[in-house]
Amino acid sequence: MVDWYEQADVGGGVVRISEPHVNDLLSANFWWLRGAGRDIVVDAGLGVVPLRAAIPGLFARDPLVVLTHAHLDHVGGAPAFAARAAHRAEADLLAAGVPASLDGAELYAALGIDAEPDSELMINVRPEPGYDPASYRIGPITLQHLLDDGDRVDLGGRELTVLHLPGHTPGSIALLEERTGTLYPGDVVYEGGLIDDLPNSDVADYRRSMEFLATLDVSVVHPGHGPSFDRARLHQLAETYLSRRR
Ligand SMILES: [Zn+2]
């Protein structure tokens, strides 16, 4: 059995979980936040390897999983959680079953990406010898909580604010812990090529979201892909997007 998930304690009761054996496009971060009252998990990975078996501690305190948006690399593991939340604009997409495949060409076609995939298979190792990548899919995901802009998620002793930042998808959200200035933006902003040309992306919305982020006061950003970064880099990434899309 391969160690599928990598865990890193980033301090402040936050653990980053990532999937190193996944192709660059789909290798996402998700974030485990510990509160006095409950834990929350921001996103849930691809769902190739069952989370409950691989990271039992993640479920010890009945966490709420908050999905930043309805893409396979962020929601595949969500069915393992009993309590699930996302922005209401993603609810129908999740309930319909998000497009999912580990076959590059099939996935690009399902997502509506007009490009050649980098690799035939989206994972670079099989989690166990008999694993059949063709068996991978994500079933319908229902939500116990529908989120709106400005909602607060209370963990007991710490609180996150929901920021609706559409563009990548209609119901993309970021979570902001105001007390520590920590932002979890999902796929709204990260180091690397941002995606605003999927069938349900919207460049005008994305621009407004970036205008908001270009002046947001934060101390650290823990994104859906790649390394964490600071406020100066957040503002720079937002400005770069805005200048490219002017
Ligand atoms: Zn995405």
Side-chain angles (χ1 to χ4, degrees), residues 196-225:
D196 64 4
D197 57 356
L198 297 171
N200 68 352
S201 300
D202 187 301
V203 173
D205 281 349
Y206 216 140
R207 284 187 55 86
R208 277 188 288 275
S209 294
M210 284 304 199
E211 280 162 4
F212 176 81
L213 291 177
T215 60
L216 188 66
D217 187 15
V218 300
S219 56
V220 65
V221 182
H222 291 323
H225 296 272

Side-chain angles (χ1 to χ4, degrees), residues 109-246:
L111 292 175
I113 300 176
D114 188 18
E116 282 294 309
D118 290 344
S119 58
E120 201 177 312
L121 203 59
M122 304 306 285
I123 55 176
N124 58 30
V125 73
R126 285 165 208 250
E128 52 193 16
Y131 182 78
D132 176 13
S135 68
Y136 173 74
R137 54 185 52 81
I138 300 173
I141 296 170
T142 54
L143 299 173
Q144 284 66 46
H145 306 275
L146 294 177
L147 301 175
D148 288 303
D149 188 59
D151 282 356
R152 292 180 188 266
V153 181
D154 186 4
L155 288 72
R158 61 196 301 184
E159 195 176 60
L160 300 168
T161 302
V162 175
L163 305 173
H164 183 206
L165 297 171
H168 178 64
T169 69
S172 283
I173 57 166
L175 295 166
L176 176 63
E177 185 175 36
E178 282 162 22
R179 188 177 58 82
T180 58
T182 308
L183 182 73
Y184 302 86
D187 279 6
V188 178
V189 63
Y190 51 79
E191 300 273 3
L194 301 175
I195 298 175
D196 64 4
D197 57 356
L198 297 171
N200 68 352
S201 300
D202 187 301
V203 173
D205 281 349
Y206 216 140
R207 284 187 55 86
R208 277 188 288 275
S209 294
M210 284 304 199
E211 280 162 4
F212 176 81
L213 291 177
T215 60
L216 188 66
D217 187 15
V218 300
S219 56
V220 65
V221 182
H222 291 323
H225 296 272
S228 299
F229 47 89
D230 63 10
R231 171 179 45 222
R233 185 63 181 148
L234 170 67
H235 293 175
Q236 202 171 46
L237 289 168
E239 290 297 348
T240 300
Y241 179 88
L242 289 167
S243 62
R244 187 170 62 82
R245 281 296 194 178
R246 200 151 270 152

Side-chain angles (χ1 to χ4, degrees), residues 1-191:
M1 185 88 183
V2 171
D3 268 342
W4 190 260
Y5 298 102
E6 200 170 275
Q7 296 182 54
D9 187 337
V10 300
V14 180
V15 175
R16 181 186 65 233
I17 304 170
S18 54
E19 297 186 88
H21 305 295
V22 175
N23 173 296
D24 278 353
L25 180 81
L26 296 184
S27 187
N29 301 318
F30 53 110
W31 303 91
W32 176 11
L33 283 67
R34 321 219 51 192
R38 83 184 304 187
D39 293 356
I40 80 154
V41 180
V42 180
D43 286 340
L46 203 50
V48 167
V49 167
L51 274 171
R52 269 186 191 270
I55 317 178
L58 195 62
F59 297 90
R61 301 172 72 216
D62 268 339
L64 169 72
V65 66
V66 180
L67 304 173
T68 59
H69 66 295
H71 280 154
L72 71 160
D73 46 335
H74 301 265
V75 308
F81 296 85
R84 300 177 290 269
H87 191 272
R88 63 177 64 249
E90 304 285 284
D92 290 348
L93 298 164
L94 290 164
V98 303
S101 172
L102 297 179
D103 177 282
E106 197 175 280
L107 178 67
Y108 275 47
L111 292 175
I113 300 176
D114 188 18
E116 282 294 309
D118 290 344
S119 58
E120 201 177 312
L121 203 59
M122 304 306 285
I123 55 176
N124 58 30
V125 73
R126 285 165 208 250
E128 52 193 16
Y131 182 78
D132 176 13
S135 68
Y136 173 74
R137 54 185 52 81
I138 300 173
I141 296 170
T142 54
L143 299 173
Q144 284 66 46
H145 306 275
L146 294 177
L147 301 175
D148 288 303
D149 188 59
D151 282 356
R152 292 180 188 266
V153 181
D154 186 4
L155 288 72
R158 61 196 301 184
E159 195 176 60
L160 300 168
T161 302
V162 175
L163 305 173
H164 183 206
L165 297 171
H168 178 64
T169 69
S172 283
I173 57 166
L175 295 166
L176 176 63
E177 185 175 36
E178 282 162 22
R179 188 177 58 82
T180 58
T182 308
L183 182 73
Y184 302 86
D187 279 6
V188 178
V189 63
Y190 51 79
E191 300 273 3

